[in-house]
Amino acid sequence: MRQFPKILVLVLLISLIGSTLLFLHSTSDYQNVGTLLHSQTNVLSHELQDEPTAKIEEGYIVHTSHCQIPDVDLWHPSILQYVRNNSPSLACSRIATKPPLTYTEDDMLYINKTNSPFYNGSLLFCEYVEIFRPPNNDFKFDLGHKRVVFTEKVLVKKEFIKVYCYSTNNTLMYQNLHAFTPTKPLLRHMKDNLSLRHKRRGYLEQLNVLMVGLDSVSRLNFHRQFPKTLKILRSNLKAYEMYGYNKVRDNTFINLTPMFLGKYVEETDWNETNNEPFDKYKFAWKRFADAGYHTLFAEDAPSIAIWNFEKEGFHHPPADYYLRPFSLAMASTSSMWTNYKHCFGGRLETDITLEYVYNFIKSRQRAPHFAFTFLTRPTYDSVNQNTDQSHAQFLESMIRSRMLENTILIYFSDHGIRRGDILSTYIGKLEERLPTMFISLPDWFARKYPQIAQNLEVNQHRLTTPFDINALLDNVLRFTGIPKHPSANMRSISLFDKVPQDRSCASATIDDHWCTCLQQQPVPVSDKKVIRAAKVLIGKINKKTAAHHKVCARYKLDEITDALQATPTHKLMTFKLSMNDVIGRKEYYGEEAIGRVTMYHVTIRVKPSGGVFQGTVKYDSTTNSYRSSGYISRTNAYGSSSFCVKDHSLKKYCYCKELV
């Protein structure tokens, strides 16, 4: 018998495989999008297949096998009475009646004599004294005895100073405080040696780190109150927004300790009884300092600072440049505060703090640096107050001066608003647990390491926590360029690595009352809400084929074969407050919040086609409304029953009338 050449056999085999795949593609929908939940019919979701892109099921901000977080309306009816649109950014221009008499540029201090007429008397001279931190004390500041007199300008080599200006009759006519970031030669020499030693260990890149924190700003409220800053982060800096970033504890201290230390507070030696200082702990800024980085730590509102409020703070400065002594000196100068203590000497406290950060980075662009600033006062107890203009100008200045070209920027919050009537709503409770989190990479870094950029894109819609930020910082510090493949059971996962899609609140160690993932359970197919959801689903299918109603049959419900519902946990809906951080930590619960959102995943059979479809419908208890959410998948073959339409996207939905 004559044998076929091998090449001919290969061609025939490829042709046969191609024909088979084409047949399967035309007769069954193998691109099913998964459900809100683990479907009892085991239909796989393309969202659950760990693809490199950041696709997300409509109606969700996280949609993975073990966590689904609903996407809620920024202006949901249940919260409209609590949030305002277009709240003006805080400003001091209308508050300050006198312009400042002194100003700074780099390490120079100047007198603006054109402003002296605004003050009583004729200016004679000014002088300054140093503001410094006494040993082993994080709650006091001292003033130096040496007075430096100047009449026009003077070079300042101190970090913090207090200025006094006198009139010709030797009367005090003006005072102000100024912060500088002078070069410290001995420190620089030590840092250069440490940095060189760190490089010799074989790490690939040495990125700078800038972390800007805002107290009590949820992801949604950042969108409402910081639109200018949001636009810069997204458009100019191409920042990745972590939609599923979930807090792990109640307040700032017990959320940021995991972020910077990688441990819960109760896993350290600290508690409310011993109340020891925090100097011995290897916070991120200390780890970066040990690797030769110049470090900065700057907070506003010193009376409620993170590691100082009802705590001992640090006996030794935690960073090379530590703003706290200056902030304490500002706080003690009560006559200079206006606008409900947002403005000091005619300037926003936020602007003063951000300028300190800017000057630190400007003078250390060529040296590795780590800067952490956290701004509390403007947003601490108000959902409608913002400093959007200040942050937008800060970022614009950084970009214009090209100061972020070797820097990973992390713009974040500790949690959402924790006070007020908005917490009586489900949306408010979601916001409290989902703070804002943005991560921006230098352009060159994203191009050089595309897998890391892809992982961050995927991680935008994964469940993430402060522990992951700590792991990310360690990754930056000891960068090898090789992404890892972490397990879902790991508590800390660097966001340079892909967060597993099967991560849950339990594996991330998020307590039930903080967990924003919906709780899933079966529901009877005879339930009235399930029947309503099924009809909404059929309505959406019929709407898809409405333009072809002359050839496509209109569907009716034949049977509901399966139904699951996903709702917020009972503990989340009823949580009121927690007491104590370590010893005697206890949660209290009360009445259920209003505005519950329930997701129904239903599997239906329709007539006349016998087609089986799956989809998700969102039920909003506030408006008593149902809305189909996301992709509708078909789970059985449709063969040639849709021959009457050419649009491939409609073939799984259309059943030709000629077959009825």
Side-chain angles (χ1 to χ4, degrees), residues 1 20 174 185 312 339 382 599 621 644:
M1 182 180 292
T20 303
Y174 170 85
E312 189 64 16
N339 194 15
S382 173
M599 311 296 280
S621 65
C644 54

Side-chain angles (χ1 to χ4, degrees), residues 311-337:
K311 303 169 192 70
E312 189 64 16
F314 300 92
H315 280 191
H316 304 282
D320 303 322
Y321 294 84
Y322 186 40
L323 189 63
R324 184 167 175 80
F326 182 79
S327 297
L328 289 169
M330 285 173 59
S332 72
T333 314
S334 57
S335 62
M336 295 189 66
W337 288 95

Side-chain angles (χ1 to χ4, degrees), residues 252-504:
T252 309
F253 167 57
I254 48 182
N255 277 297
L256 295 200
T257 295
M259 176 182 285
F260 290 104
L261 190 60
K263 294 180 179 181
Y264 283 117
V265 172
E266 60 265 31
E267 295 171 342
T268 71
D269 297 331
W270 186 92
N271 61 53
E272 291 88 347
T273 300
N274 65 40
N275 198 17
E276 64 180 6
F278 296 96
D279 299 83
K280 72 179 185 180
Y281 297 107
K282 283 279 189 178
F283 289 102
W285 49 82
K286 200 168 185 178
R287 303 197 298 270
F288 277 83
D290 290 345
Y293 279 67
H294 295 254
T295 56
L296 173 143
F297 186 121
E299 292 183 82
D300 65 352
S303 63
I304 51 175
I306 303 167
W307 287 274
N308 297 90
F309 179 62
E310 298 181 348
K311 303 169 192 70
E312 189 64 16
F314 300 92
H315 280 191
H316 304 282
D320 303 322
Y321 294 84
Y322 186 40
L323 189 63
R324 184 167 175 80
F326 182 79
S327 297
L328 289 169
M330 285 173 59
S332 72
T333 314
S334 57
S335 62
M336 295 189 66
W337 288 95
T338 54
N339 194 15
Y340 303 99
K341 293 205 75 173
H342 290 300
C343 298
F344 181 86
R347 297 186 65 204
L348 271 177
E349 182 184 23
T350 294
D351 290 335
I352 294 170
T353 307
L354 290 177
E355 182 184 63
Y356 180 68
V357 176
Y358 177 88
N359 289 336
F360 166 80
I361 296 174
K362 180 183 177 182
S363 58
R364 281 151 197 87
Q365 281 184 267
R366 296 183 180 180
H369 52 267
F370 176 100
F372 162 62
T373 183
F374 196 78
L375 298 152
T376 296
R377 201 187 306 272
T379 53
Y380 173 67
D381 57 1
S382 173
V383 76
N384 292 309
Q385 199 159 261
N386 71 79
T387 47
D388 185 30
Q389 186 67 30
S390 297
H391 285 272
Q393 289 177 349
F394 170 70
L395 287 178
E396 285 171 346
S397 297
M398 297 288 285
I399 294 168
R400 188 166 51 248
S401 302
R402 303 178 68 178
M403 289 163 59
L404 296 174
E405 292 187 354
N406 195 49
T407 298
I408 178 171
L409 170 67
I410 302 176
Y411 242 81
F412 71 99
S413 186
D414 46 355
H415 48 70
I417 196 73
R418 294 174 52 238
R419 294 168 176 80
D421 292 339
I422 192 173
L423 295 180
S424 66
T425 70
Y426 170 55
I427 307 296
K429 288 183 177 293
L430 267 185
E431 292 200 38
E432 180 191 8
R433 289 153 176 78
L434 295 172
T436 194
M437 172 61 70
F438 286 88
I439 299 171
S440 173
L441 301 176
D443 285 342
W444 67 264
F445 185 87
R447 289 193 302 270
K448 187 174 180 179
Y449 301 98
Q451 186 60 57
I452 287 175
Q454 277 190 359
N455 290 346
L456 276 168
E457 188 175 347
V458 170
N459 291 341
Q460 288 185 115
H461 297 288
R462 295 285 163 90
L463 178 65
T464 55
T465 75
F467 285 103
D468 302 330
I469 303 301
N470 184 72
L472 171 64
L473 294 174
D474 275 344
N475 201 337
V476 171
L477 185 60
R478 291 182 283 272
F479 185 73
T480 64
I482 304 172
K484 298 182 179 66
H485 302 283
S487 162
N489 293 323
M490 294 172 61
R491 182 172 72 176
S492 301
I493 298 174
S494 169
L495 297 181
F496 279 178
D497 303 322
K498 188 182 294 183
V499 175
Q501 60 85 19
D502 55 343
R503 191 185 215 188
S504 65

Side-chain angles (χ1 to χ4, degrees), residues 97-168:
T97 56
K98 297 179 180 180
L101 193 54
T102 55
Y103 67 96
T104 65
E105 285 184 8
D106 298 326
D107 53 1
M108 295 296 296
L109 174 64
Y110 296 89
I111 298 174
N112 187 347
K113 292 186 177 181
T114 59
N115 289 338
S116 61
F118 291 94
Y119 297 86
N120 295 327
S122 299
L123 176 66
L124 179 62
F125 71 94
C126 296
E127 63 181 11
Y128 76 79
V129 295
E130 181 185 7
I131 300 168
F132 64 93
R133 183 182 194 271
N136 302 324
N137 194 312
D138 219 11
F139 296 89
K140 292 182 179 180
F141 70 93
D142 283 334
L143 296 178
H145 297 295
K146 181 180 178 181
R147 295 177 175 266
V148 178
V149 177
F150 63 105
T151 55
E152 288 188 359
K153 62 182 179 180
V154 63
L155 175 68
V156 179
K157 295 184 178 180
K158 304 297 183 181
E159 286 187 70
F160 312 124
I161 61 170
K162 186 168 186 176
V163 177
Y164 305 91
C165 293
Y166 298 89
S167 64
T168 49

